[in-house]
Amino acid sequence: MRKHDKCNTLTRLLNFNTAGLPAKPARSEKTAVDFSEEDCWCLLWNNVSCHFAMSPWIKSYLLLFLSPLYTVLTSLEYEPKFDRPMVNVTVKEKNTAILPCSVNFLGSHEVVWTDQFSTLLTYQDRRIIDDERLSVERPYTRDWNLHIRDVRYSDQGIYNCQINTTPVKIKTINLVVLVPAKILEHLSSTDTTVREGDTVTLICNVTGTPHPEVTWYRKHGRGEEKQSELCPGNDKVGVNGEVLIIHNVTRYCGGDYECVAFNGVPPAVSKIVEVFVEFAPEIYLPNKKMRQEKGKDTILECTVTAFPHAVTLWQKDGVQITTSTLKYRVEVYDEDANQLTLSLRVFNIEESDFGAYTCVSSNTLGEDQETMYLSEHVRATVTTKKPSTSTQNLYIPATSHQKLIVSRRPPVARPSATLASGQSLEGLPMENTHDRQPTRRPVYEPSYRGRDDTNKRILATKKKENASTRPGSVSFTSQTLASILLAVLLSVML
């Protein structure tokens, strides 16, 4: 504070009215502006003495009271000052940046904003440069905030809020603009085609503030059951970085690779690069042997894995099969990006259709073939066996004092001779019938036909019966009657 300001303050204090007494004019004719600090103090003391005719001890008491008051008044500063000397402001790109500037005791001074290149941006609350994104906002009287709408990365830097004092007072604001991760397409890899065994290099060039971290992933897809150790599937592959290198690439390493870039400022960005691996064909046969009956249809299939696909066909005994006739029909089914199934349907199978069928596939890198065999299926004939007849003992009642047990044997199986076409029975051995004893025919055939043990029980029971017991009821046929007569005749002769 300048001396004349202090004296002016003291002069105003001289005009106070104490206990209703009018203020007396100062004895000196000097103006307050010309007073020195000592003059002001003397003037104040003399003026108080004029108002109060008091004893010396009262004056001493007033002197002790006014001395601290004078010290406080003379120490007051009324020059402008900032609330904080320096501020850091961080904002995301495309948002609005608010640069704060609050000034106390501005008075008649003025405020301006400049950038790091000392370019004048605003004067008081008016914009100077031709940038409509900038403005000075004053929510309170002491505020002179600079607003930058739709902030860009190029707006990042140092901004100064200045007051035109002597010397100039400056408040510094450091503006930091956060930029989300971004992939530079023109500096990154596109879809790549390599041969099996080569080394493939994938690049994902990114930018952002702070610098993003890049992570590589392999997208999961069909056919991943064929993955190798170098291609683990839907996990992180390689190391974090903008470059991914795969050495000695195999056919199982083909597919989509995704690079994901993130720097903590949402959102994260990603890019997919597809890798095509060229390799020679590889054929797989689900069945290498098949059987089918004549007159029916059958389907032969082979699975081919190759990139690129070129010529795939079926051969029969080394001759290419064509679909120009109604005998064959060839169909192709896509199983995966590099896999297909070749189906051959054979109609109305004949004897000439049996044999070797070969599936052949070839491209610029090589050829592969596999053979399967089609043979005739013959249905098995079912033969039925005649039940064998066991020997049965029959009880035949005879005359009143005789009982006859006849053993009935099953017919003897004779060997049969198969005659070829044009052969006769001459020369074949014949059975000697002169030495064979005539077979006795039973004279009585009971209705009950049991096993040997049952017959034994019947015989034991009949022995206890009276010899005159009449036989049970039988069915008298012509054969039975002849048997009875023969039995009677034999008993008489014996």
Side-chain angles (χ1 to χ4, degrees):
M1 179 183 292
R2 292 186 294 270
K3 290 183 178 181
H4 68 273
D5 293 331
K6 296 179 182 179
C7 292
N8 287 333
T9 302
L10 293 174
T11 303
R12 286 193 298 271
L13 290 174
L14 295 179
N15 297 324
F16 67 89
N17 191 345
T18 304
L21 299 177
K24 294 182 179 180
R27 297 178 182 179
S28 175
E29 295 180 356
K30 293 183 179 180
T31 61
V33 177
D34 299 328
F35 285 173
S36 63
E37 191 171 332
E38 293 78 6
D39 294 337
C40 290
W41 171 246
C42 295
L43 180 62
L44 174 62
W45 176 251
N46 293 333
N47 192 283
V48 172
S49 300
C50 293
H51 284 287
F52 299 97
M54 301 177 184
S55 61
W57 68 270
I58 295 179
K59 292 182 180 180
S60 299
Y61 176 78
L62 290 176
L63 180 62
L64 293 175
F65 172 76
L66 292 177
S67 295
L69 177 62
Y70 173 76
T71 304
V72 172
L73 291 176
T74 56
S75 62
L76 292 176
E77 296 182 0
Y78 294 96
E79 292 187 358
K81 64 177 181 179
F82 297 107
D83 54 348
R84 286 178 293 176
M86 185 172 182
V87 177
N88 291 324
V89 176
T90 301
V91 65
K92 182 181 175 181
E93 188 182 33
K94 298 186 180 303
N95 290 349
T96 299
I98 301 177
L99 281 58
C101 182
S102 296
V103 182
N104 295 323
F105 310 117
L106 179 61
S108 59
H109 296 87
E110 297 172 340
V111 178
V112 295
W113 277 96
T114 60
D115 60 10
Q116 56 188 336
F117 306 108
S118 299
T119 303
L120 185 62
L121 304 178
T122 64
Y123 173 75
Q124 292 289 81
D125 58 354
R126 296 183 296 275
R127 174 170 51 86
I128 301 299
I129 65 172
D130 187 16
D131 190 346
E132 297 180 355
R133 299 180 300 123
L134 275 66
S135 64
V136 174
E137 305 293 337
R138 302 190 62 190
Y140 299 98
T141 305
R142 63 179 185 176
D143 292 339
W144 302 83
N145 301 333
L146 178 64
H147 286 217
I148 306 177
R149 291 173 294 275
D150 191 20
V151 66
R152 306 166 186 167
Y153 179 73
S154 58
D155 297 330
Q156 180 173 272
I158 300 297
Y159 290 81
N160 297 318
C161 179
Q162 301 182 13
I163 304 175
N164 60 341
T165 57
T166 304
V168 176
K169 294 186 176 182
I170 300 175
K171 178 180 181 179
T172 302
I173 292 89
N174 182 25
L175 177 62
V176 178
V177 180
L178 299 179
V179 181
K182 182 180 179 181
I183 298 177
L184 305 177
E185 295 288 344
H186 62 286
L187 297 177
S188 301
S189 298
T190 56
D191 295 347
T192 306
T193 301
V194 296
R195 288 195 175 186
E196 194 171 29
D198 292 347
T199 298
V200 60
T201 301
L202 305 180
I203 300 175
C204 187
N205 204 325
V206 298
T207 185
T209 304
H211 192 74
E213 179 180 350
V214 179
T215 306
W216 287 92
Y217 296 88
R218 184 170 184 237
K219 300 290 287 184
H220 180 73
R222 294 183 301 171
E224 286 301 315
E225 64 275 2
K226 297 180 180 180
Q227 63 187 6
S228 65
E229 294 181 357
L230 294 177
C231 307
N234 195 24
D235 293 325
K236 291 182 181 179
V237 294
V239 295
N240 292 345
E242 299 182 22
V243 180
L244 174 65
I245 301 177
I246 305 176
H247 300 279
N248 192 22
V249 64
T250 66
R251 66 189 65 183
Y252 309 117
C253 291
D256 295 337
Y257 289 80
E258 181 182 23
C259 70
V260 179
F262 187 62
N263 62 347
V265 183
V269 292
S270 63
K271 175 182 175 63
I272 295 178
V273 180
E274 188 170 2
V275 177
F276 301 95
V277 182
E278 295 181 341
F279 57 94
E282 189 177 83
I283 296 179
Y284 168 74
L285 293 179
N287 300 302
K288 292 191 175 183
K289 291 183 180 181
M290 291 188 64
R291 295 177 180 271
Q292 186 58 281
E293 299 178 10
K294 291 182 180 179
K296 294 190 175 182
D297 302 343
T298 190
I299 298 176
L300 311 180
E301 290 184 347
C302 75
T303 302
V304 181
T305 305
F307 184 80
H309 286 293
V311 180
T312 304
L313 50 89
W314 281 97
Q315 293 180 352
K316 171 67 170 64
D317 297 330
V319 180
Q320 180 179 348
I321 295 177
T322 61
T323 58
S324 58
T325 63
L326 299 179
K327 188 65 176 177
Y328 304 103
R329 185 171 70 189
V330 178
E331 297 175 340
V332 179
Y333 303 96
D334 289 332
E335 304 293 343
D336 200 354
N338 299 328
Q339 190 177 83
L340 57 85
T341 297
L342 188 65
S343 172
L344 174 65
R345 183 185 293 269
V346 184
F347 298 96
N348 191 19
I349 294 178
E350 301 173 350
E351 183 68 28
S352 59
D353 295 327
F354 298 122
Y357 289 82
T358 304
C359 179
V360 181
S361 179
S362 62
N363 60 12
T364 57
L365 300 178
E367 177 181 334
D368 190 20
Q369 61 181 12
E370 291 289 338
T371 302
M372 67 181 305
Y373 297 91
L374 177 64
S375 58
E376 183 180 2
H377 175 70
V378 181
R379 291 181 177 269
T381 57
V382 180
T383 58
T384 57
K385 261 178 116 179
K386 292 184 179 180
S388 60
T389 306
S390 59
T391 303
Q392 297 179 353
N393 296 326
L394 303 178
Y395 170 75
I396 302 176
T399 59
S400 59
H401 297 284
Q402 294 177 346
K403 295 177 183 178
L404 180 64
I405 298 175
V406 181
S407 176
R408 188 177 185 182
R409 298 191 181 104
V412 179
R414 298 180 180 178
S416 60
T418 303
L419 299 182
S421 171
Q423 273 188 337
S424 63
L425 292 175
E426 296 181 1
L428 296 177
M430 301 298 291
E431 183 181 3
N432 186 3
T433 59
H434 298 284
D435 299 334
R436 187 177 62 183
Q437 296 295 330
T439 304
R440 293 185 179 184
R441 302 294 297 276
V443 296
Y444 172 70
E445 183 178 2
S447 60
Y448 179 80
R449 298 177 183 272
R451 296 184 178 181
D452 295 341
D453 55 349
T454 305
N455 292 333
K456 291 179 181 180
R457 289 196 301 270
I458 294 175
L459 291 175
T461 304
K462 292 300 181 180
K463 286 181 181 180
K464 296 178 182 180
E465 293 180 356
N466 194 344
S468 61
T469 302
R470 298 181 61 182
S473 63
V474 294
S475 179
F476 290 94
T477 60
S478 59
Q479 184 178 3
T480 305
L481 184 59
S483 300
I484 294 174
L485 293 177
L486 180 59
V488 172
L489 182 59
L490 290 174
S491 62
V492 173
M493 293 177 64
L494 294 174

